Amino acid sequence: MRTTFLLPVLLFAVNLVSAQDNTRPNADEKIYTSEDVDTQADFPGGIDVFYSTFAKHFKAPQVPGLVDKVVLSFVIEKDGTPTDIRVVHDAGFGTGEQCRQILETLPKWAPAAKDSKKVRSQYLLPIAVITE
């Protein structure tokens, strides 16, 4: 008798916790890849403007001869906000966290589009870290 009562209680608790974790905007909507969209998400002015703007904020570590990259993965929301920012590859010396923080402060992106509608899309961004 206890087992049959415990199972529904556990299922209810799991569903309740899952519902509470769904706090990101549009978290229930599909996230498209670059292959699935008609127009990819883009930084205002293009990716070259992104890297130029980013470089103005980035402080390279004082490590002579460092040649590596930071790779960020994130979702561009329908309103252009980058969310769920993750460091996929870190060059070390605090560079990954610094890149993540800089991305959060930059202007919103132009979102991706599918069938002329704004959609959420996954974005993978490499950032070169080279010191002298």
Side-chain angles (χ1 to χ4, degrees), residues 55-76:
K56 292 175 186 174
H57 299 281
F58 185 74
K59 305 279 189 265
Q62 299 297 314
V63 179
L66 177 64
V67 178
D68 204 342
K69 64 183 168 189
V70 171
V71 179
L72 299 176
S73 172
F74 51 97
V75 173
I76 301 292

Side-chain angles (χ1 to χ4, degrees), residues 8-85:
V9 170
L10 285 175
L11 289 175
F12 175 74
V14 169
N15 286 336
L16 186 60
V17 170
S18 296
Q20 291 174 348
D21 287 345
N22 196 6
T23 56
R24 288 192 315 265
N26 306 318
D28 59 338
E29 293 184 35
K30 180 178 179 172
I31 298 173
Y32 290 83
T33 64
S34 59
E35 296 85 24
D36 296 331
V37 297
D38 302 325
T39 306
Q40 293 189 19
D42 199 11
F43 190 76
I47 197 67
D48 290 338
V49 172
F50 170 84
Y51 282 122
S52 173
T53 305
F54 188 91
K56 292 175 186 174
H57 299 281
F58 185 74
K59 305 279 189 265
Q62 299 297 314
V63 179
L66 177 64
V67 178
D68 204 342
K69 64 183 168 189
V70 171
V71 179
L72 299 176
S73 172
F74 51 97
V75 173
I76 301 292
E77 298 293 340
K78 291 178 182 181
D79 71 353
T81 304
T83 62
D84 197 22
I85 303 168

Side-chain angles (χ1 to χ4, degrees), residues 77-132:
E77 298 293 340
K78 291 178 182 181
D79 71 353
T81 304
T83 62
D84 197 22
I85 303 168
R86 298 171 191 221
V87 178
V88 177
H89 178 78
D90 193 339
F93 311 101
T95 56
E97 180 60 21
Q98 182 186 177
C99 289
R100 189 190 65 70
Q101 290 175 354
I102 293 169
L103 180 62
E104 288 178 335
T105 67
L106 295 180
K108 291 182 178 184
W109 293 56
K114 173 85 173 162
D115 300 326
S116 300
K117 293 182 183 177
K118 295 177 182 179
V119 295
R120 302 173 76 214
S121 64
Q122 187 68 41
Y123 203 95
L124 197 62
L125 181 69
I127 300 167
V129 179
I130 302 170
T131 61
E132 296 181 7

